[in-house]
Amino acid sequence: MTYKILLSGDGGQGIQLVSDMLAQAAFANGFNISQIPNYGLEQRGGVSLSFLVISDQEIAYPRFTKPDILLIMSEQARIRTEKNKNGNLILDVQDYNKKLEENNIFVKSYNIFFLGRLTKILEEKGVLKKEDVFNLLEKKLSTKMNWEENKKTWELAIRN
Amino acid sequence: MKYNFVDNKNRKLMTGAEVCVQAAFDAEAKMMYGYPITPATEVFTGWIKRGGAYLQTEDEIAAGFAICGAILAGQKAFSATSGPGHILMQDAMSMAEGMRLPFVLIVGQRGGPSSGTVIYSQQEVILSCFGGNGEGLRLVYSPSSLKELYQLTRQAFNDAWQYRFPAIVLTDGYMLKTRGVVSLEELKIENIPPHQLVPEDKVTHWQNIYTFEDDLYYEINSAKEDFHKIADEIAKAEKYLTADAEILLVAHGIVGAVAKEAVQELRKVGIKAGMFRPITLRPFPKKELDKVCGWESVKKVVVIESALGQLARIVRDQLAPEIDVSFEYLQKPGLGIEVEEIVKFVNK
């Protein structure tokens, strides 16, 4: 069993944080992981990608073009990942805009929302435990600004 | 869904760069000279963060010659570089080849020519094996996983100091930047201690330039003989399902790991594929390659690489001329290669 997850957004949206939390939680649950960011010349203002593989087998190679799950958090990212769409599960921010606005979710917390969504999906598959992800998140962000907002966002994403 | 969960005891999440740093510390390296360049920078910064002694020089030429100097004084010194930095480093690497200095260099291949990309390639194979004005009398290791990266980095230090040849651990941007799961605890490797190459108590004249052609000729021949003597011991390859293989995939480094998975996929659809992965590119595991390619079952050799024929050139050069086998090439200079691409290429 191998899950290939491609996370994409604008630099600064917190894509690498989402990837990091999922990777650590899956690893803590006994899986192999491999994780590689894009590290081209475009980091500031450009598209931020993270290639994450979670598997119960040895992982030979960190990159892929056909992810099982694709996260798109921005317009630029949508264009950049055009070639990666192939009947996979796609979480696209444009499909969630209404929900996010209705619930007054801070734009800065969007990554936490999608972290929650991905956690939910992966927990249903038995890949990780949501408590692990939340604990990692709390450790990382609870002393930083907007923790209450982030926590509220996380709860919304996990709940429904 | 049923999974094969793994016990996390002794397992760690580490990047390739962190693995290199760990290996350098465990090898008891004492000094790093370098100049930062993506994707090898984190080997340097990781070494510094963990308290390793270092000097950031004005460029890779200075770093390289600083290493030569430190080694002459008996210090285990090393560097890590990439692409254009690697080109500059070859100046000192050539001196190390001429003077038989145990110069250890970690290379993270990026795209070329010139600045190319900062990301990934397998285009520094010829540069690693034959860079500089010399004869390629150096050791070049090409790991395909984080664990092997650790083992071969340790081995590079050991072989360099034992046999006195410069050594390159040839890795790439993907491998250095990838975070994966490794368990290093069970790997017990003894260190070959460094020794002072120049005595402190008397004046020594140690040449790296010769007055007469014959003197240089003698030196090169003597180094060549030493190199050939250790070649069988150092040269290594991984062979996978080669016993009855009709199509032999040849790939090195991270592409070798991909080729191995491709063999599994090809076998599932009834194609008798096997894989030959040189773990050392210098000395090349020539005898093993001859043996595998010499079997009647092998109809075709497919050389796969993220370069335009650098590995292929070495493979054809090393294969015994009397072995009659046809070649095909899957070449993607500066681009990663996925399992599906290899399967499609072979199964066309």
Side-chain angles (χ1 to χ4, degrees), chain A residues 45-81:
Chain A
V47 177
S48 175
L49 302 173
S50 178
F51 295 81
L52 173 64
V53 185
I54 302 172
S55 181
D56 62 350
Q57 314 289 316
E58 291 280 316
I59 302 165
Y61 186 64
R63 295 278 293 231
F64 49 82
T65 43
K66 302 283 173 248
D68 301 301
I69 303 172
L70 172 62
L71 171 66
I72 299 166
M73 277 188 58
S74 74
E75 179 63 36
Q76 281 193 95
R78 193 170 302 115
I79 296 163
R80 176 73 175 266
T81 55

Side-chain angles (χ1 to χ4, degrees), chain A residues 96-107 110 156:
Chain A
Y96 291 88
N97 273 337
K98 197 160 160 258
K99 187 184 182 80
L100 292 163
E101 277 164 27
E102 275 170 13
N103 287 282
N104 298 317
I105 300 300
F106 275 27
V107 172
Y110 279 15
L156 173 74

Side-chain angles (χ1 to χ4, degrees), chain B residues 17-312:
Chain B
E18 285 166 348
V19 168
C20 289
V21 170
Q22 184 64 49
F25 273 105
D26 292 348
E28 293 168 327
K30 290 286 180 267
M31 183 77 182
M32 184 166 183
Y33 297 91
Y35 188 87
I37 183 165
T38 309
T41 303
E42 285 86 354
V43 180
F44 201 18
T45 54
W47 170 264
I48 295 165
K49 267 185 211 151
R50 289 190 49 180
Y54 73 99
L55 182 68
Q56 180 179 330
T57 51
E58 60 268 43
D59 60 23
E60 289 85 350
I61 298 175
F65 285 109
I67 292 170
C68 291
I71 289 168
L72 286 171
Q75 192 176 44
K76 257 192 200 179
F78 76 108
S79 192
T81 190
S82 173
H86 182 192
I87 297 172
L88 300 186
M89 201 69 83
Q90 283 294 340
D91 192 355
M93 187 54 86
S94 188
M95 178 173 170
E97 186 180 319
M99 295 179 77
R100 302 283 302 271
L101 304 179
F103 186 126
V104 174
L105 179 65
I106 295 159
V107 171
Q109 295 171 95
R110 55 187 260 169
S114 189
S115 299
T117 69
V118 303
I119 304 171
Y120 163 86
S121 86
Q122 292 190 313
Q123 295 172 293
E124 294 170 47
V125 168
I126 297 292
L127 186 61
S128 295
C129 293
F130 302 104
N133 56 334
E135 300 295 339
L137 301 177
R138 67 269 301 269
L139 315 170
V140 180
Y141 307 85
S142 179
S144 74
S145 66
L146 290 177
K147 187 175 177 179
E148 201 177 53
L149 174 61
Y150 178 83
Q151 290 169 308
L152 293 179
T153 306
R154 294 289 305 274
Q155 197 187 330
F157 278 104
N158 274 350
D159 289 346
W161 280 92
Q162 181 160 3
Y163 303 114
R164 299 265 307 272
F165 285 106
I168 289 180
V169 182
L170 183 62
T171 163
D172 61 67
Y174 285 171
M175 183 169 279
L176 290 181
K177 293 276 192 177
T178 295
R179 189 159 74 140
V181 181
V182 258
S183 43
L184 305 176
E185 306 268 320
E186 78 264 26
L187 301 172
K188 292 274 169 278
I189 302 166
E190 294 284 318
N191 282 328
I192 302 285
H195 54 279
Q196 207 165 329
L197 304 182
V198 185
E200 252 174 66
D201 53 354
K202 60 176 188 225
V203 176
T204 317
H205 180 216
W206 188 355
Q207 288 172 284
N208 82 327
I209 181 165
Y210 299 90
T211 314
F212 302 110
E213 304 96 306
D214 313 276
D215 297 346
L216 173 67
Y217 177 74
Y218 172 82
E219 287 298 327
I220 293 173
N221 269 322
S222 141
K224 182 191 84 176
E225 274 168 32
D226 288 351
F227 193 77
H228 285 169
K229 254 183 252 165
I230 62 166
D232 283 351
E233 193 188 322
I234 291 182
K236 272 187 192 64
E238 181 193 2
K239 287 166 291 179
Y240 182 62
L241 302 181
T242 49
D244 63 341
E246 291 174 359
I247 293 172
L248 186 70
L249 309 184
V250 179
H252 76 102
I254 202 166
V255 179
V258 180
K260 192 174 175 178
E261 280 197 6
V263 166
Q264 294 164 0
E265 294 303 315
L266 287 163
R267 290 261 168 181
K268 280 182 201 164
V269 294
I271 293 173
K272 284 189 179 167
M275 183 210 63
F276 182 89
R277 176 175 69 87
I279 295 170
T280 54
L281 296 173
R282 291 289 291 166
F284 195 85
K286 174 189 164 47
K287 284 182 183 165
E288 288 189 81
L289 180 74
D290 284 350
K291 206 170 128 193
V292 173
C293 289
W295 285 333
E296 290 237 331
S297 60
V298 177
K299 304 275 184 287
K300 192 171 36 180
V301 173
V302 183
V303 186
I304 306 162
E305 58 187 311
S306 296
L308 219 48
Q310 300 201 16
L311 175 67

Side-chain angles (χ1 to χ4, degrees), chain A residues 3-142:
Chain A
Y3 296 107
K4 294 174 182 172
I5 304 165
L6 177 56
L7 310 167
S8 70
D10 288 349
Q13 276 190 311
I15 287 294
Q16 304 306 329
L17 178 130
V18 173
S19 179
D20 189 43
M21 302 281 116
L22 296 175
Q24 287 197 55
F27 172 68
N29 209 17
F31 283 91
N32 287 317
I33 69 112
S34 114
Q35 187 188 18
I36 185 169
N38 63 320
Y39 50 95
L41 298 168
E42 49 168 21
Q43 281 171 351
R44 238 168 261 270
V47 177
S48 175
L49 302 173
S50 178
F51 295 81
L52 173 64
V53 185
I54 302 172
S55 181
D56 62 350
Q57 314 289 316
E58 291 280 316
I59 302 165
Y61 186 64
R63 295 278 293 231
F64 49 82
T65 43
K66 302 283 173 248
D68 301 301
I69 303 172
L70 172 62
L71 171 66
I72 299 166
M73 277 188 58
S74 74
E75 179 63 36
Q76 281 193 95
R78 193 170 302 115
I79 296 163
R80 176 73 175 266
T81 55
E82 195 53 53
K83 64 168 192 262
N84 306 110
K85 290 170 190 163
N86 186 38
N88 36 23
L89 176 59
I90 298 172
L91 290 148
D92 191 326
V93 68
Q94 70 184 6
D95 302 330
Y96 291 88
N97 273 337
K98 197 160 160 258
K99 187 184 182 80
L100 292 163
E101 277 164 27
E102 275 170 13
N103 287 282
N104 298 317
I105 300 300
F106 275 27
V107 172
K108 279 192 170 171
S109 296
Y110 279 15
N111 66 326
I112 306 301
F113 179 80
F114 288 108
L115 173 63
R117 283 281 152 173
L118 289 161
T119 297
K120 208 175 158 195
I121 293 164
L122 293 171
E123 190 179 52
E124 278 161 17
K125 293 179 190 295
V127 170
L128 43 72
K129 299 184 185 79
K130 65 171 184 280
E131 294 75 21
D132 286 348
V133 180
F134 184 76
N135 289 340
L136 288 162
L137 195 63
E138 194 172 34
K139 205 168 142 197
K140 181 113 184 163
L141 296 182
S142 62

